[in-house]
Amino acid sequence: MDYRVLGRSGLKVSELTYGNWVTHGSQVGDEAAEACVRAALECGITSFDTADAYAGGRAEEILGRALKQERREGLEIFTKLYWPMGDGPNDRGLSRKHVLESIDASLRRLQVDYVDLYQAHRYDHETPLEETMQAFADVVRAGKALYIGVSEWRAEQIREGKALAERLGVPLVSNQPQYSALYRVIEAEVIPACRQLGLSQIVFSPLAQGVLTGKYRPGEPPPEGSRATDETGGAEFIEQLLRDEVLERVQQLRPLADQAGLSMAGLALAWVLQEDNVASAIIGASRPEQVRDNVKAVGVRLDPDLKRQVDELLAPVSQTDPALTQSPDPRA
């Protein structure tokens, strides 16, 4: 495993982060989930990402149990808040009330005294940003989080948040966006802003919900047990990618993966890790062998010509519009 510094901080994270969105507590049983966490640890992964909203809190609980016997100082644990965790009007968003209540609930579920990184899961259009950042500052000063981050914020929102964080003396060090060879919307505005401000990317869906593994073939039904067949939530996230025009181009990546000595998944992860503003790519898994295969992408430097071929092949079906980075605004 290789490690990278997170933003303009001293915190090092593993190049691959194990995340449990969609899988733990929903798509994967508890024993299989814990087996995947053990495989991640055995492969040298020290960074783990979750969120309170994943499976209604169960994902945090499962991760907490799986890591309970590990040396806390040897791990970097990330979690997030924003999405609804109840039916009350204050059970969502980034208000001071919800931030301070949510961090305590997450710590209980994770069975830890602090998280290394506490992230705003989306931008909250209904709460003043000053209120949110002050609440995050209080969480840090209370020792419940060491660093703070954001997720899926636009460049201008990140700039505002960073200015407030600096005024409050709080280490805002990361952004967690979607990023893959098929979804490149952060390249035009978010990455340049983060480079300037000293934030890194911890990216999710680097395999484009599994599409870049090549297991989904044009004109064929999805493999049984895959995310596309998961009616508990996984299928809705991948549906828009299962177009023949996308799948046909992905299949053409196979010779390039062979040339690089990687699986299709490994090629997709190595592609993401070529971006120096990416500190870590989040992987999920339903089987331990998937973790072990993904780790083969660590430390790989793709030949520039091979990367160019990947880019050119996927360009007609890749998303690049910066406007696609947005958070829901209930007022709209």
Side-chain angles (χ1 to χ4, degrees), residues 17 28 82 104 159 184 200 210 214 222 227 235 274 285 291 304 308:
T17 290
V28 176
Y82 169 85
D104 288 341
R159 289 186 187 279
R184 304 176 60 173
S200 292
R227 179 164 294 184
Q274 306 309 292
V291 177
R308 178 187 56 77

Side-chain angles (χ1 to χ4, degrees), residues 36 39 285-295:
C36 288
S286 55
R287 302 186 309 277
E289 54 266 30
Q290 293 173 323
V291 177
R292 299 185 186 105
D293 177 65
N294 289 343
V295 169

Side-chain angles (χ1 to χ4, degrees), residues 17-18 37 40-41 45-49 63 67 75-78:
T17 290
Y18 182 84
V37 171
L41 291 164
I45 291 175
T46 58
S47 303
F48 294 85
D49 179 79
L63 184 61
L67 296 176
L75 304 172
E76 304 87 48
I77 299 176
F78 318 148

Side-chain angles (χ1 to χ4, degrees), residues 13-320:
V13 296
S14 48
E15 282 193 348
L16 295 184
T17 290
Y18 182 84
N20 64 359
W21 172 47
V22 179
T23 51
H24 293 190
S26 53
Q27 191 181 37
V28 176
D30 291 7
E31 288 187 10
E34 293 190 20
C36 288
V37 171
R38 286 195 299 273
L41 291 164
E42 290 165 2
C43 290
I45 291 175
T46 58
S47 303
F48 294 85
D49 179 79
T50 186
D52 58 2
Y54 295 168
R58 287 199 64 221
E60 284 184 327
E61 292 174 353
I62 293 168
L63 184 61
R65 287 199 299 271
L67 296 176
K68 179 66 175 174
Q69 302 305 317
E70 299 299 316
R71 191 175 70 91
R72 178 66 185 88
E73 294 81 359
L75 304 172
E76 304 87 48
I77 299 176
F78 318 148
T79 194
K80 303 180 286 290
L81 86 151
Y82 169 85
W83 297 106
M85 287 298 289
D87 297 328
N90 293 302
D91 287 332
R92 65 196 69 200
L94 300 176
S95 69
R96 178 176 180 80
K97 175 178 172 63
H98 191 51
V99 169
L100 297 184
E101 291 174 347
S102 294
I103 184 63
D104 288 341
S106 287
L107 294 178
R108 284 195 299 272
R109 287 189 289 265
L110 288 164
Q111 300 184 60
V112 294
D113 297 325
Y114 68 94
V115 292
D116 297 271
L117 182 66
Y118 199 38
Q119 304 159 99
H121 211 157
R122 290 296 184 272
Y123 184 86
D124 186 350
H125 296 273
E126 295 187 303
T127 300
L129 186 55
E130 293 84 353
E131 176 180 335
T132 295
M133 297 308 294
Q134 182 64 66
F136 272 117
D138 290 343
V139 167
V140 171
R141 291 190 181 110
K144 297 177 181 181
L146 305 184
Y147 302 86
I148 61 172
V150 300
S151 177
E152 288 288 271
W153 284 27
R154 297 174 64 88
E156 62 269 22
Q157 295 165 345
I158 292 172
R159 289 186 187 279
E160 284 186 70
K162 180 62 173 179
L164 285 167
E166 288 186 345
R167 195 180 312 163
L168 292 164
V170 181
L172 173 58
V173 297
S174 66
N175 175 46
Q176 187 177 128
Q178 182 179 173
Y179 186 53
S180 72
L182 283 171
Y183 197 84
R184 304 176 60 173
V185 304
I186 62 171
E187 291 180 343
E189 297 176 1
V190 168
I191 285 180
C194 288
R195 278 205 190 101
Q196 179 187 13
L197 298 170
L199 279 72
S200 292
Q201 313 300 317
I202 301 173
V203 302
F204 71 88
S205 293
L207 303 182
Q209 301 293 314
V211 168
L212 286 169
T213 67
K215 66 183 174 184
Y216 300 102
R217 297 177 179 271
E220 298 182 12
E224 194 62 36
S226 66
R227 179 164 294 184
T229 63
D230 175 28
E231 297 181 356
T232 63
E236 66 179 286
F237 297 115
I238 196 175
E239 183 178 12
Q240 62 181 336
L241 291 168
L242 298 180
R243 308 191 313 272
D244 281 355
E245 60 179 326
V246 175
L247 302 182
E248 286 166 0
R249 288 188 172 271
V250 168
Q251 290 302 318
Q252 295 176 51
L253 294 175
R254 287 190 181 279
L256 298 179
D258 292 341
Q259 183 180 332
L262 295 166
S263 66
M264 292 277 282
L267 176 65
L269 287 167
W271 184 95
V272 164
L273 292 171
Q274 306 309 292
E275 169 55 58
D276 60 10
N277 192 238
V278 171
S280 188
I282 301 173
I283 61 167
S286 55
R287 302 186 309 277
E289 54 266 30
Q290 293 173 323
V291 177
R292 299 185 186 105
D293 177 65
N294 289 343
V295 169
K296 294 175 184 176
V298 170
V300 172
R301 298 306 299 177
L302 295 178
D303 179 84
D305 184 60
L306 187 148
K307 184 178 184 300
R308 178 187 56 77
Q309 291 180 65
V310 172
D311 294 345
E312 291 177 352
L313 188 58
L314 296 181
V317 292
S318 294
Q319 299 276 12
T320 58

